[in-house]
Each structure stands twice: as structure tokens, then as C-alpha cells.
Amino acid sequence: ADSDIADEAVRATCDDASICKRFATSKGYWTDLYVQYFVRQVGERKAPEINRGYYGRVKGMNLLIDAFLKKTQCDCQVVNLGAGLDTTFWRLKDENIMPKKFFEVDFPMIVARKIHNIKTKPPLSKPLIETHSTDALLLDGHSLDSDRYCIIGADLRDLPTLEEKLKKFQINPELPTLFLSECVLVYMTPEQSSKLVHWVADAFPTAMFINYEQVNMNDRFGEIMIENLQRRQCNLAGVDLCQSLDSQKERFLSAGWESANALDMMTVYNMLPQEDVARIECLEFLDEKELLQQLLQHYCICWAVKDKLNLADFSF
Ligand code: SAM
């Protein structure tokens, strides 16, 4: 069916993200010791502006993630929605800032691949075993559950099943919980993503939601970005809702979140520690600065907070 083809194209985007992250880390933009176990080869060269874009994306997300972990003193949970082959769990373990439990959700087919990699690569499985107490670890084709890390195969558009599976793996709605979605909501219709965001707000009294995705697509550059994705039959169902930073915030504010912020990635890039930015800008020569600027203006980070525990003030 058409919808299967569209879903398959969406699933394929997780490889794109990890392939680009693998390439950028091979050039030294940032360190990720684990992405190599999900993407074997460094692959073809990516343009410098793409690498800088991924640098901003990863550093920006990490700053907010780490701020949440610090505020909650790790007495919290993280739920990465549409996690793909993301390696954040291993980074947090290495940096000794692991939440009580780290959950990931993606389509069962992606989850099965990720679990296979974890099972067969000791550098990935060792940290799981180390953070797990005596009982046997649950590992079947479509889910993995250990004390500190859990991967769930589910469709984010099917909220009753998502809720049931998170409960089955002992999510605790009373704990401060950080939800992440990195280039994920854009693949759902505005109704579907708004329901998801609404459900989180209803179910978790103290929560933060960090969303990274395309924005400001209503110009020529945005049109080209959309055409490129459509050429691969990707269903960008959510793209028109997210036309501005204001509509990004509105998605959360109208769904029961107390506060929301949104910054385009050019702004985020300029707010990152400038010493490190200067370092990465020396890695590869970038001819056209405007190209980077245009690219970064078409992505954003939006974060929303519900703060029953009065943790207050999550910001850069
Ligand atoms: N967040 C990861 C990252 O940034 O590296 C992966 C991003 S990738 C562009 C989008 C991911 O969202 C894919 O892994 C895809 O399978 C997942 N995804 C999209 N729609 C989904 C849905 N309805 N249910 C579950 N996963 C979904």
C-alpha cells in the first residue's frame, strides 16, 4: 500500500541521520565513540555546511538534555521518540549523567535492527550489562529492557499502544521526564503530532519536551528542501504546520504545556561555546557562508516545559 511505502521511506531517514553523524564525527566535529557500531563505513563525503549543521543539531540538543539532567540531578527519565540509531544513552553512561531510565521508541523494524547491533557488538552491550542488576535482561526481536535502558517498537501515531508499552516497561509518570524528538514530528500529520504532544502533557506532570526539526519552509530554499524529501517519497505530513517559530511554540502551548521556547539553528549556532565553534570551523573550508546561514535558518529547536515540581528555568 502507499502508506507502507511512505512509512518505509520515513524509516530510511534514520540511516541518513546516522550516516551524516558518522561522517561528521570522523572529521572531528564532535566525539561519538558508538555511532561506528551502527554505521560501519564512514561513507561518502558530506558538504561542510551539512557537517556544521549536524554539529549545531547535536551540540544544541545535548546542551538542553544535559541541563535537564543537571536540574533533576539525574532523578528523572528520558524518552527518545523516533530515536533511530541514536547513541545518547552511551554518551550519558560514559559521562556519568545517566537518568534513572532511558527509553527509546521507534518502528519495530528499526528497533529490531538496533537490538541486533547491540547484541552483536560488545562495546554497545557491555554498558547495558554493567548497569543491570542480577535478573536476566529482556531481549526479544522487538524490545529490549534492562534496568537503565529500554527500547520499544511502536508507532508513535498509535497512542494507546505506546502508552501500554511504556507502562509495561515501568515508566513512572511521577518522575520528571524528558521527551526528545529529533526530526520525527515532521513525518506525522499536524493532528497526529499534536495528539502525541498533548498526551505527554496530560500524562506527565513534570516534563520537558525538546523538538528539533525543519522550520520556515515557506520560501524558495524551503521548497527545495521539501522537494528533495518528496523525491524519496517521504511523507512530510507535518511540514506546513511548522512554518514558523511561533507555530512551533503554539503546538505545545495549545496542548497543555506551560511554557515554550523556539530558536532557529542559526541563533543556536551563535549561542554555542564559541571556542569550540572556532575549532570546528577550521576543520573544513567553507566557501559560501550564506549557504550555512540559509540552511541553519530552516531548522529549529523548540522546547516546552510543564513544571509541577518547580524545577524552573530550563534554558541554554
Ligand atoms: N532521532 C534520530 C536522530 O536524530 O538521529 C532519528 C531521526 S530519523 C530522521 C526519524 C526517525 O523517526 C526514524 O528512525 C523513523 O523510523 C522514526 N519515526 C518516524 N515516524 C515514526 C512513527 N510514526 N513511529 C515510530 N517511529 C517513527
Side-chain angles (χ1 to χ4, degrees), residues 28-220:
Y29 280 83
W30 72 94
T31 305
D32 183 334
L33 300 173
Y34 301 97
V35 68
Q36 58 179 310
Y37 303 113
F38 293 110
V39 179
R40 212 169 316 148
Q41 280 163 8
V42 168
E44 5 175 308
R45 181 182 170 274
K46 308 281 177 229
E49 66 273 14
I50 303 287
N51 298 328
R52 291 190 193 184
Y54 269 91
Y55 169 83
R57 164 173 170 175
V58 169
K59 289 288 171 177
M61 291 293 288
N62 287 355
L63 270 179
L64 287 168
I65 295 169
D66 295 1
F68 183 88
L69 290 164
K70 199 166 172 196
K71 277 271 154 63
T72 59
Q73 298 181 319
C74 297
D75 193 9
C76 65
Q77 304 163 125
V78 177
V79 183
N80 191 349
L81 303 168
L85 304 173
D86 184 82
T87 56
T88 302
F89 168 76
W90 290 272
R91 176 180 76 84
L92 300 181
K93 160 83 170 64
D94 283 349
E95 294 182 6
N96 220 356
I97 46 171
M98 258 202 307
K100 280 265 158 69
K101 193 160 178 178
F102 193 103
F103 296 85
E104 292 186 350
V105 183
D106 210 298
F107 284 119
M109 225 182 277
I110 301 293
V111 163
R113 274 180 52 199
K114 191 164 193 174
I115 292 175
H116 176 77
N117 279 313
I118 294 172
K119 268 206 242 178
T120 53
K121 314 254 158 71
L124 296 177
S125 54
K126 212 171 133 247
L128 290 195
I129 295 161
E130 277 170 15
T131 54
H132 190 74
S133 57
T134 47
D135 295 357
L137 208 124
L138 174 97
L139 239 179
D140 59 37
H142 293 300
S143 40
L144 177 160
D145 189 37
S146 71
D147 287 355
R148 308 297 287 272
Y149 183 49
C150 170
I151 316 182
I152 296 169
D155 187 330
L156 298 169
R157 296 165 298 188
D158 174 3
L159 294 176
T161 309
L162 176 64
E163 187 168 18
E164 180 208 310
K165 291 191 172 168
L166 285 168
K167 273 198 190 135
K168 179 177 162 204
F169 295 114
Q170 276 99 36
I171 199 158
N172 176 2
E174 297 311 315
L175 264 190
T177 305
L178 173 61
F179 285 82
L180 307 173
S181 59
E182 193 180 321
C183 282
V184 174
L185 300 187
V186 76
Y187 299 108
M188 300 182 211
T189 66
E191 295 75 49
Q192 288 162 342
S193 65
S194 142
K195 274 194 185 140
L196 175 61
V197 159
H198 216 293
W199 169 75
V200 175
D202 285 347
F204 295 83
T206 302
M208 172 154 146
F209 201 122
I210 311 175
N211 180 47
Y212 173 95
E213 70 186 1
Q214 290 87 340
V215 75
N216 300 327
M217 300 296 267
N218 51 349
D219 62 8
R220 184 63 197 129

Side-chain angles (χ1 to χ4, degrees), residues 245 248-249 252 259-263 301-305 314-315:
L245 293 174
Q248 284 281 347
K249 288 190 270 190
F252 289 94
S259 66
N261 287 283
L263 299 174
I301 294 188
C302 177
W303 67 100
V305 175
F314 296 97
S315 57

